[in-house]
Amino acid sequence: MSKDEQRPAARPFLRALEQLHSDDPRARERGFDFLREHADSYVAELIEAFGREDDAEMRCLLLELLAEARDPTALPVLAEQLACPDESVQFWAVRGLEMLGTREAGQALDRARAEGWIF
């Protein structure tokens, strides 16, 4: 068990993340709803989970949650995904940067457009 998993505050996050991976649609919805409501409290954990995730659908959900958090610490992750060949991942990266609304987020979007990654 990692140090983060031992922290009492991490338990609800881990439980919700488990639900998000569930085969049960209701459990997935409960997990997602909890994480969306508390995304701003779990930005570091969401970034870490995104880095470990291989499933494209889950990566999109995690990017959506990072977008909801509207936290500048997510900018590097969101900006990096602008070059992703998966259009769904790109969509949520763009949306996250738009929702962030900072000068740096706008610059990342401008660079991605100049590189032809997004339109």
Side-chain angles (χ1 to χ4, degrees), residues 64-84:
E64 182 176 355
L65 292 166
L66 286 169
E68 286 293 328
R70 294 176 173 89
D71 189 302
T73 58
L75 186 131
V77 172
L78 295 167
E80 183 179 320
Q81 297 312 306
L82 294 173
C84 181

Side-chain angles (χ1 to χ4, degrees), residues 24 33 42 66 107 111 119:
D24 176 9
D33 288 345
Y42 292 114
L66 286 169
Q107 290 170 340
R111 278 191 304 276
F119 299 100

Side-chain angles (χ1 to χ4, degrees), residues 21-93:
H21 282 93
S22 173
D23 290 333
D24 176 9
R26 286 189 208 160
R28 277 195 312 270
E29 185 175 346
R30 280 192 308 272
F32 184 80
D33 288 345
F34 173 84
L35 291 171
R36 184 179 55 219
E37 186 175 327
H38 301 284
D40 60 335
S41 299
Y42 292 114
V43 173
E45 291 88 343
L46 289 166
I47 290 170
E48 185 179 323
F50 181 82
R52 290 189 312 260
E53 189 59 58
D54 291 329
D55 180 74
E57 184 178 342
M58 281 298 298
R59 289 173 65 84
C60 288
L61 291 175
L62 292 167
L63 285 177
E64 182 176 355
L65 292 166
L66 286 169
E68 286 293 328
R70 294 176 173 89
D71 189 302
T73 58
L75 186 131
V77 172
L78 295 167
E80 183 179 320
Q81 297 312 306
L82 294 173
C84 181
D86 184 320
E87 289 182 14
S88 297
V89 170
Q90 255 188 2
F91 172 84
W92 285 109

